[in-house]
Amino acid sequence: MTEKPQIVLTVTSEGVVSAETKGMVGSGCLDYVAILEDLLDARTIESAYTADYTRTNVNVQNLQEERNVERA
């Protein structure tokens, strides 16, 4: 099952906002940086890639191979 894409925002009592993407693979998460900056009227100070950045979205059907097996 594929995880539903999410953006998790955290606001500290000091007003510091942090965001983390979940369920997004590859560079697709980077599209949200500018959107969040606009919505929050803020700018990114620090960012880092999660393990999902290097993960690929694999379609299970594409992993199946056709094999012709000759019965003995």
Side-chain angles (χ1 to χ4, degrees), residues 6-38:
Q6 298 178 354
I7 299 174
V8 179
L9 291 175
T10 305
V11 182
T12 68
S13 58
E14 292 84 26
V16 176
V17 179
S18 64
E20 179 181 358
T21 58
K22 296 185 180 232
M24 296 180 205
V25 296
S27 62
C29 60
L30 299 177
D31 297 336
Y32 292 93
V33 174
I35 294 169
L36 288 169
E37 287 179 336
D38 287 344

PDB file of all heavy atoms in Angstrom, residues 6-38:
ATOM      1  N   GLN A   6       1.860  13.663   2.859  1.00  0.00           N
ATOM      2  CA  GLN A   6       1.490  14.580   3.925  1.00  0.00           C
ATOM      3  C   GLN A   6       2.592  15.614   4.125  1.00  0.00           C
ATOM      4  O   GLN A   6       3.758  15.349   3.847  1.00  0.00           O
ATOM      5  CB  GLN A   6       1.329  13.846   5.254  1.00  0.00           C
ATOM      6  CG  GLN A   6       0.257  12.817   5.292  1.00  0.00           C
ATOM      7  CD  GLN A   6       0.240  12.118   6.648  1.00  0.00           C
ATOM      8  OE1 GLN A   6       1.089  12.325   7.508  1.00  0.00           O
ATOM      9  NE2 GLN A   6      -0.744  11.269   6.845  1.00  0.00           N
ATOM     10  N   ILE A   7       2.210  16.757   4.644  1.00  0.00           N
ATOM     11  CA  ILE A   7       3.160  17.760   5.122  1.00  0.00           C
ATOM     12  C   ILE A   7       2.830  17.976   6.589  1.00  0.00           C
ATOM     13  O   ILE A   7       1.699  18.326   6.932  1.00  0.00           O
ATOM     14  CB  ILE A   7       3.044  19.086   4.353  1.00  0.00           C
ATOM     15  CG1 ILE A   7       3.350  18.868   2.885  1.00  0.00           C
ATOM     16  CG2 ILE A   7       3.978  20.127   4.960  1.00  0.00           C
ATOM     17  CD1 ILE A   7       3.118  20.088   2.031  1.00  0.00           C
ATOM     18  N   VAL A   8       3.805  17.743   7.449  1.00  0.00           N
ATOM     19  CA  VAL A   8       3.615  17.894   8.884  1.00  0.00           C
ATOM     20  C   VAL A   8       4.289  19.195   9.308  1.00  0.00           C
ATOM     21  O   VAL A   8       5.497  19.346   9.165  1.00  0.00           O
ATOM     22  CB  VAL A   8       4.212  16.705   9.650  1.00  0.00           C
ATOM     23  CG1 VAL A   8       4.037  16.895  11.153  1.00  0.00           C
ATOM     24  CG2 VAL A   8       3.577  15.401   9.185  1.00  0.00           C
ATOM     25  N   LEU A   9       3.479  20.146   9.798  1.00  0.00           N
ATOM     26  CA  LEU A   9       3.990  21.431  10.270  1.00  0.00           C
ATOM     27  C   LEU A   9       4.035  21.433  11.793  1.00  0.00           C
ATOM     28  O   LEU A   9       3.099  20.983  12.439  1.00  0.00           O
ATOM     29  CB  LEU A   9       3.092  22.577   9.816  1.00  0.00           C
ATOM     30  CG  LEU A   9       3.076  22.903   8.337  1.00  0.00           C
ATOM     31  CD1 LEU A   9       2.047  23.968   8.034  1.00  0.00           C
ATOM     32  CD2 LEU A   9       4.441  23.347   7.872  1.00  0.00           C
ATOM     33  N   THR A  10       5.118  21.958  12.330  1.00  0.00           N
ATOM     34  CA  THR A  10       5.266  22.088  13.778  1.00  0.00           C
ATOM     35  C   THR A  10       5.603  23.541  14.085  1.00  0.00           C
ATOM     36  O   THR A  10       6.472  24.123  13.441  1.00  0.00           O
ATOM     37  CB  THR A  10       6.397  21.176  14.295  1.00  0.00           C
ATOM     38  OG1 THR A  10       6.140  19.836  13.876  1.00  0.00           O
ATOM     39  CG2 THR A  10       6.500  21.230  15.805  1.00  0.00           C
ATOM     40  N   VAL A  11       4.883  24.113  15.047  1.00  0.00           N
ATOM     41  CA  VAL A  11       5.141  25.483  15.477  1.00  0.00           C
ATOM     42  C   VAL A  11       5.491  25.442  16.959  1.00  0.00           C
ATOM     43  O   VAL A  11       4.698  24.973  17.770  1.00  0.00           O
ATOM     44  CB  VAL A  11       3.913  26.400  15.249  1.00  0.00           C
ATOM     45  CG1 VAL A  11       4.236  27.826  15.667  1.00  0.00           C
ATOM     46  CG2 VAL A  11       3.453  26.339  13.800  1.00  0.00           C
ATOM     47  N   THR A  12       6.682  25.945  17.294  1.00  0.00           N
ATOM     48  CA  THR A  12       7.103  25.952  18.701  1.00  0.00           C
ATOM     49  C   THR A  12       6.500  27.162  19.416  1.00  0.00           C
ATOM     50  O   THR A  12       5.970  28.079  18.776  1.00  0.00           O
ATOM     51  CB  THR A  12       8.640  26.018  18.820  1.00  0.00           C
ATOM     52  OG1 THR A  12       9.088  27.294  18.350  1.00  0.00           O
ATOM     53  CG2 THR A  12       9.313  24.903  18.043  1.00  0.00           C
ATOM     54  N   SER A  13       6.622  27.177  20.729  1.00  0.00           N
ATOM     55  CA  SER A  13       6.105  28.303  21.512  1.00  0.00           C
ATOM     56  C   SER A  13       6.863  29.597  21.201  1.00  0.00           C
ATOM     57  O   SER A  13       6.352  30.690  21.428  1.00  0.00           O
ATOM     58  CB  SER A  13       6.188  27.994  23.010  1.00  0.00           C
ATOM     59  OG  SER A  13       7.523  27.721  23.379  1.00  0.00           O
ATOM     60  N   GLU A  14       8.066  29.483  20.636  1.00  0.00           N
ATOM     61  CA  GLU A  14       8.842  30.656  20.229  1.00  0.00           C
ATOM     62  C   GLU A  14       8.451  31.137  18.827  1.00  0.00           C
ATOM     63  O   GLU A  14       8.989  32.122  18.337  1.00  0.00           O
ATOM     64  CB  GLU A  14      10.347  30.343  20.253  1.00  0.00           C
ATOM     65  CG  GLU A  14      10.923  30.109  21.630  1.00  0.00           C
ATOM     66  CD  GLU A  14      10.714  28.673  22.102  1.00  0.00           C
ATOM     67  OE1 GLU A  14      10.597  27.763  21.252  1.00  0.00           O
ATOM     68  OE2 GLU A  14      10.643  28.468  23.323  1.00  0.00           O
ATOM     69  N   GLY A  15       7.557  30.421  18.180  1.00  0.00           N
ATOM     70  CA  GLY A  15       7.108  30.810  16.843  1.00  0.00           C
ATOM     71  C   GLY A  15       7.922  30.236  15.705  1.00  0.00           C
ATOM     72  O   GLY A  15       7.736  30.611  14.554  1.00  0.00           O
ATOM     73  N   VAL A  16       8.823  29.311  16.008  1.00  0.00           N
ATOM     74  CA  VAL A  16       9.626  28.668  14.962  1.00  0.00           C
ATOM     75  C   VAL A  16       8.777  27.596  14.288  1.00  0.00           C
ATOM     76  O   VAL A  16       8.176  26.749  14.952  1.00  0.00           O
ATOM     77  CB  VAL A  16      10.913  28.046  15.556  1.00  0.00           C
ATOM     78  CG1 VAL A  16      11.688  27.305  14.478  1.00  0.00           C
ATOM     79  CG2 VAL A  16      11.768  29.113  16.201  1.00  0.00           C
ATOM     80  N   VAL A  17       8.712  27.668  12.961  1.00  0.00           N
ATOM     81  CA  VAL A  17       7.910  26.723  12.182  1.00  0.00           C
ATOM     82  C   VAL A  17       8.847  25.750  11.482  1.00  0.00           C
ATOM     83  O   VAL A  17       9.832  26.148  10.873  1.00  0.00           O
ATOM     84  CB  VAL A  17       7.060  27.459  11.128  1.00  0.00           C
ATOM     85  CG1 VAL A  17       6.260  26.472  10.303  1.00  0.00           C
ATOM     86  CG2 VAL A  17       6.148  28.474  11.791  1.00  0.00           C
ATOM     87  N   SER A  18       8.528  24.459  11.584  1.00  0.00           N
ATOM     88  CA  SER A  18       9.274  23.456  10.829  1.00  0.00           C
ATOM     89  C   SER A  18       8.280  22.604  10.067  1.00  0.00           C
ATOM     90  O   SER A  18       7.120  22.461  10.468  1.00  0.00           O
ATOM     91  CB  SER A  18      10.152  22.600  11.748  1.00  0.00           C
ATOM     92  OG  SER A  18       9.352  21.862  12.644  1.00  0.00           O
ATOM     93  N   ALA A  19       8.730  22.064   8.951  1.00  0.00           N
ATOM     94  CA  ALA A  19       7.864  21.241   8.110  1.00  0.00           C
ATOM     95  C   ALA A  19       8.618  20.005   7.676  1.00  0.00           C
ATOM     96  O   ALA A  19       9.831  20.041   7.450  1.00  0.00           O
ATOM     97  CB  ALA A  19       7.412  22.029   6.889  1.00  0.00           C
ATOM     98  N   GLU A  20       7.901  18.899   7.576  1.00  0.00           N
ATOM     99  CA  GLU A  20       8.482  17.650   7.098  1.00  0.00           C
ATOM    100  C   GLU A  20       7.481  17.001   6.159  1.00  0.00           C
ATOM    101  O   GLU A  20       6.286  16.958   6.447  1.00  0.00           O
ATOM    102  CB  GLU A  20       8.785  16.710   8.269  1.00  0.00           C
ATOM    103  CG  GLU A  20       9.371  15.399   7.836  1.00  0.00           C
ATOM    104  CD  GLU A  20       9.651  14.452   8.996  1.00  0.00           C
ATOM    105  OE1 GLU A  20       9.422  14.837  10.151  1.00  0.00           O
ATOM    106  OE2 GLU A  20      10.086  13.332   8.729  1.00  0.00           O
ATOM    107  N   THR A  21       7.970  16.516   5.033  1.00  0.00           N
ATOM    108  CA  THR A  21       7.095  15.801   4.108  1.00  0.00           C
ATOM    109  C   THR A  21       7.164  14.318   4.412  1.00  0.00           C
ATOM    110  O   THR A  21       8.199  13.796   4.804  1.00  0.00           O
ATOM    111  CB  THR A  21       7.507  16.038   2.645  1.00  0.00           C
ATOM    112  OG1 THR A  21       8.857  15.623   2.462  1.00  0.00           O
ATOM    113  CG2 THR A  21       7.349  17.497   2.259  1.00  0.00           C
ATOM    114  N   LYS A  22       6.041  13.656   4.229  1.00  0.00           N
ATOM    115  CA  LYS A  22       5.962  12.210   4.424  1.00  0.00           C
ATOM    116  C   LYS A  22       5.196  11.621   3.246  1.00  0.00           C
ATOM    117  O   LYS A  22       4.229  12.208   2.769  1.00  0.00           O
ATOM    118  CB  LYS A  22       5.246  11.882   5.732  1.00  0.00           C
ATOM    119  CG  LYS A  22       5.998  12.369   6.940  1.00  0.00           C
ATOM    120  CD  LYS A  22       5.338  11.930   8.215  1.00  0.00           C
ATOM    121  CE  LYS A  22       6.135  12.458   9.377  1.00  0.00           C
ATOM    122  NZ  LYS A  22       6.472  11.445  10.319  1.00  0.00           N
ATOM    123  N   GLY A  23       5.649  10.470   2.795  1.00  0.00           N
ATOM    124  CA  GLY A  23       4.970   9.787   1.703  1.00  0.00           C
ATOM    125  C   GLY A  23       5.246  10.375   0.337  1.00  0.00           C
ATOM    126  O   GLY A  23       4.552  10.074  -0.621  1.00  0.00           O
ATOM    127  N   MET A  24       6.236  11.219   0.227  1.00  0.00           N
ATOM    128  CA  MET A  24       6.638  11.790  -1.060  1.00  0.00           C
ATOM    129  C   MET A  24       8.032  11.288  -1.361  1.00  0.00           C
ATOM    130  O   MET A  24       8.894  11.289  -0.488  1.00  0.00           O
ATOM    131  CB  MET A  24       6.655  13.315  -1.007  1.00  0.00           C
ATOM    132  CG  MET A  24       5.322  13.928  -0.763  1.00  0.00           C
ATOM    133  SD  MET A  24       5.470  15.719  -0.728  1.00  0.00           S
ATOM    134  CE  MET A  24       4.049  16.115   0.273  1.00  0.00           C
ATOM    135  N   VAL A  25       8.242  10.843  -2.590  1.00  0.00           N
ATOM    136  CA  VAL A  25       9.554  10.333  -2.947  1.00  0.00           C
ATOM    137  C   VAL A  25      10.200  11.216  -4.002  1.00  0.00           C
ATOM    138  O   VAL A  25       9.526  11.913  -4.747  1.00  0.00           O
ATOM    139  CB  VAL A  25       9.470   8.879  -3.457  1.00  0.00           C
ATOM    140  CG1 VAL A  25       8.984   7.952  -2.374  1.00  0.00           C
ATOM    141  CG2 VAL A  25       8.571   8.772  -4.664  1.00  0.00           C
ATOM    142  N   GLY A  26      11.523  11.194  -4.017  1.00  0.00           N
ATOM    143  CA  GLY A  26      12.249  11.978  -5.008  1.00  0.00           C
ATOM    144  C   GLY A  26      12.148  13.465  -4.738  1.00  0.00           C
ATOM    145  O   GLY A  26      11.893  13.910  -3.626  1.00  0.00           O
ATOM    146  N   SER A  27      12.338  14.240  -5.787  1.00  0.00           N
ATOM    147  CA  SER A  27      12.386  15.693  -5.644  1.00  0.00           C
ATOM    148  C   SER A  27      11.005  16.357  -5.606  1.00  0.00           C
ATOM    149  O   SER A  27      10.919  17.573  -5.487  1.00  0.00           O
ATOM    150  CB  SER A  27      13.213  16.292  -6.777  1.00  0.00           C
ATOM    151  OG  SER A  27      12.590  16.003  -8.020  1.00  0.00           O
ATOM    152  N   GLY A  28       9.932  15.587  -5.671  1.00  0.00           N
ATOM    153  CA  GLY A  28       8.582  16.148  -5.634  1.00  0.00           C
ATOM    154  C   GLY A  28       8.311  16.968  -4.386  1.00  0.00           C
ATOM    155  O   GLY A  28       7.543  17.931  -4.414  1.00  0.00           O
ATOM    156  N   CYS A  29       8.961  16.632  -3.298  1.00  0.00           N
ATOM    157  CA  CYS A  29       8.757  17.363  -2.046  1.00  0.00           C
ATOM    158  C   CYS A  29       9.290  18.796  -2.137  1.00  0.00           C
ATOM    159  O   CYS A  29       8.804  19.681  -1.448  1.00  0.00           O
ATOM    160  CB  CYS A  29       9.425  16.634  -0.887  1.00  0.00           C
ATOM    161  SG  CYS A  29      11.202  16.439  -1.077  1.00  0.00           S
ATOM    162  N   LEU A  30      10.272  19.012  -3.000  1.00  0.00           N
ATOM    163  CA  LEU A  30      10.878  20.342  -3.105  1.00  0.00           C
ATOM    164  C   LEU A  30       9.901  21.373  -3.660  1.00  0.00           C
ATOM    165  O   LEU A  30      10.060  22.570  -3.412  1.00  0.00           O
ATOM    166  CB  LEU A  30      12.132  20.276  -3.975  1.00  0.00           C
ATOM    167  CG  LEU A  30      13.239  19.368  -3.449  1.00  0.00           C
ATOM    168  CD1 LEU A  30      14.403  19.311  -4.435  1.00  0.00           C
ATOM    169  CD2 LEU A  30      13.709  19.816  -2.082  1.00  0.00           C
ATOM    170  N   ASP A  31       8.888  20.933  -4.395  1.00  0.00           N
ATOM    171  CA  ASP A  31       7.873  21.840  -4.931  1.00  0.00           C
ATOM    172  C   ASP A  31       7.117  22.560  -3.817  1.00  0.00           C
ATOM    173  O   ASP A  31       6.589  23.644  -4.016  1.00  0.00           O
ATOM    174  CB  ASP A  31       6.876  21.091  -5.808  1.00  0.00           C
ATOM    175  CG  ASP A  31       7.520  20.476  -7.032  1.00  0.00           C
ATOM    176  OD1 ASP A  31       8.592  20.963  -7.459  1.00  0.00           O
ATOM    177  OD2 ASP A  31       6.948  19.507  -7.567  1.00  0.00           O
ATOM    178  N   TYR A  32       7.061  21.945  -2.647  1.00  0.00           N
ATOM    179  CA  TYR A  32       6.279  22.499  -1.550  1.00  0.00           C
ATOM    180  C   TYR A  32       7.022  23.570  -0.764  1.00  0.00           C
ATOM    181  O   TYR A  32       6.415  24.290   0.015  1.00  0.00           O
ATOM    182  CB  TYR A  32       5.810  21.371  -0.620  1.00  0.00           C
ATOM    183  CG  TYR A  32       4.803  20.488  -1.293  1.00  0.00           C
ATOM    184  CD1 TYR A  32       5.193  19.329  -1.957  1.00  0.00           C
ATOM    185  CD2 TYR A  32       3.458  20.831  -1.311  1.00  0.00           C
ATOM    186  CE1 TYR A  32       4.273  18.524  -2.604  1.00  0.00           C
ATOM    187  CE2 TYR A  32       2.532  20.029  -1.954  1.00  0.00           C
ATOM    188  CZ  TYR A  32       2.948  18.884  -2.602  1.00  0.00           C
ATOM    189  OH  TYR A  32       2.037  18.104  -3.247  1.00  0.00           O
ATOM    190  N   VAL A  33       8.323  23.688  -0.947  1.00  0.00           N
ATOM    191  CA  VAL A  33       9.092  24.686  -0.204  1.00  0.00           C
ATOM    192  C   VAL A  33       8.569  26.089  -0.504  1.00  0.00           C
ATOM    193  O   VAL A  33       8.250  26.852   0.411  1.00  0.00           O
ATOM    194  CB  VAL A  33      10.600  24.578  -0.508  1.00  0.00           C
ATOM    195  CG1 VAL A  33      11.365  25.713   0.146  1.00  0.00           C
ATOM    196  CG2 VAL A  33      11.138  23.229  -0.047  1.00  0.00           C
ATOM    197  N   ALA A  34       8.475  26.438  -1.773  1.00  0.00           N
ATOM    198  CA  ALA A  34       7.999  27.777  -2.149  1.00  0.00           C
ATOM    199  C   ALA A  34       6.547  27.989  -1.728  1.00  0.00           C
ATOM    200  O   ALA A  34       6.178  29.089  -1.280  1.00  0.00           O
ATOM    201  CB  ALA A  34       8.142  27.982  -3.650  1.00  0.00           C
ATOM    202  N   ILE A  35       5.730  26.967  -1.822  1.00  0.00           N
ATOM    203  CA  ILE A  35       4.326  27.079  -1.422  1.00  0.00           C
ATOM    204  C   ILE A  35       4.229  27.379   0.073  1.00  0.00           C
ATOM    205  O   ILE A  35       3.490  28.271   0.493  1.00  0.00           O
ATOM    206  CB  ILE A  35       3.549  25.790  -1.776  1.00  0.00           C
ATOM    207  CG1 ILE A  35       3.474  25.630  -3.288  1.00  0.00           C
ATOM    208  CG2 ILE A  35       2.159  25.799  -1.143  1.00  0.00           C
ATOM    209  CD1 ILE A  35       2.964  24.284  -3.747  1.00  0.00           C
ATOM    210  N   LEU A  36       4.996  26.643   0.871  1.00  0.00           N
ATOM    211  CA  LEU A  36       4.978  26.875   2.320  1.00  0.00           C
ATOM    212  C   LEU A  36       5.522  28.257   2.674  1.00  0.00           C
ATOM    213  O   LEU A  36       4.986  28.930   3.555  1.00  0.00           O
ATOM    214  CB  LEU A  36       5.783  25.787   3.037  1.00  0.00           C
ATOM    215  CG  LEU A  36       5.121  24.416   3.076  1.00  0.00           C
ATOM    216  CD1 LEU A  36       6.107  23.372   3.565  1.00  0.00           C
ATOM    217  CD2 LEU A  36       3.877  24.444   3.941  1.00  0.00           C
ATOM    218  N   GLU A  37       6.571  28.694   1.983  1.00  0.00           N
ATOM    219  CA  GLU A  37       7.100  30.040   2.242  1.00  0.00           C
ATOM    220  C   GLU A  37       6.047  31.100   1.962  1.00  0.00           C
ATOM    221  O   GLU A  37       5.892  32.045   2.737  1.00  0.00           O
ATOM    222  CB  GLU A  37       8.340  30.283   1.385  1.00  0.00           C
ATOM    223  CG  GLU A  37       9.562  29.537   1.855  1.00  0.00           C
ATOM    224  CD  GLU A  37      10.777  29.785   0.983  1.00  0.00           C
ATOM    225  OE1 GLU A  37      10.631  30.136  -0.205  1.00  0.00           O
ATOM    226  OE2 GLU A  37      11.894  29.621   1.493  1.00  0.00           O
ATOM    227  N   ASP A  38       5.286  30.928   0.877  1.00  0.00           N
ATOM    228  CA  ASP A  38       4.216  31.883   0.555  1.00  0.00           C
ATOM    229  C   ASP A  38       3.091  31.830   1.586  1.00  0.00           C
ATOM    230  O   ASP A  38       2.621  32.868   2.061  1.00  0.00           O
ATOM    231  CB  ASP A  38       3.644  31.612  -0.838  1.00  0.00           C
ATOM    232  CG  ASP A  38       4.594  32.019  -1.946  1.00  0.00           C
ATOM    233  OD1 ASP A  38       5.555  32.781  -1.690  1.00  0.00           O
ATOM    234  OD2 ASP A  38       4.377  31.563  -3.088  1.00  0.00           O
TER     235      ASP A  38
END
